Amino acid sequence: MAAIWFKEPRTLLPGETNTSSACKSSSPAGTFRTFHVICNNQRSKLLNFELWYAPEASNMVKERTRFSYGIRERELTGFKFAERPR
């Protein structure tokens, strides 16, 4: 069964560009089919943020965000599905 992901579009700030593609990504939590989203500052070409979202985990697998003090990188280390009510 293929997962379908719907997300409200994020309004880009002046000077931002946004690209996305489908790919597989690995993290300590496993390997997932993901949407790879990159948002760069159009003028400076610097990264604003980059993320890999896995619909089957309903979460980001990886994330990289630029701040004034440097780049923060995070990865999903584990997840489990909630139990379904009987």
Side-chain angles (χ1 to χ4, degrees):
M1 179 174 149
I4 300 174
W5 179 48
F6 295 100
K7 184 178 182 317
E8 292 297 318
R10 175 180 155 321
T11 302
L12 294 176
L13 299 173
E16 282 187 337
T17 59
N18 200 356
T19 61
S20 65
S21 62
C23 63
K24 283 195 175 188
S25 295
S26 294
S27 75
T31 301
F32 301 90
R33 291 181 303 148
T34 61
F35 293 103
H36 182 200
V37 179
I38 302 170
C39 183
N40 290 323
N41 183 299
Q42 192 173 15
R43 283 181 243 143
S44 69
K45 306 296 185 211
L46 293 175
L47 174 75
N48 282 347
F49 68 86
E50 179 177 26
L51 62 88
W52 291 259
Y53 180 82
E56 64 188 291
S58 298
N59 210 331
M60 290 183 293
V61 173
K62 295 181 185 180
E63 177 225 0
R64 187 176 307 154
T65 304
R66 176 178 295 283
F67 292 97
S68 59
Y69 55 82
I71 294 178
R72 176 183 68 191
E73 295 183 353
R74 300 190 299 177
E75 285 187 311
L76 185 66
T77 57
F79 80 99
K80 69 178 188 178
F81 292 105
E83 291 186 29
R84 292 185 179 174
R86 294 181 180 194

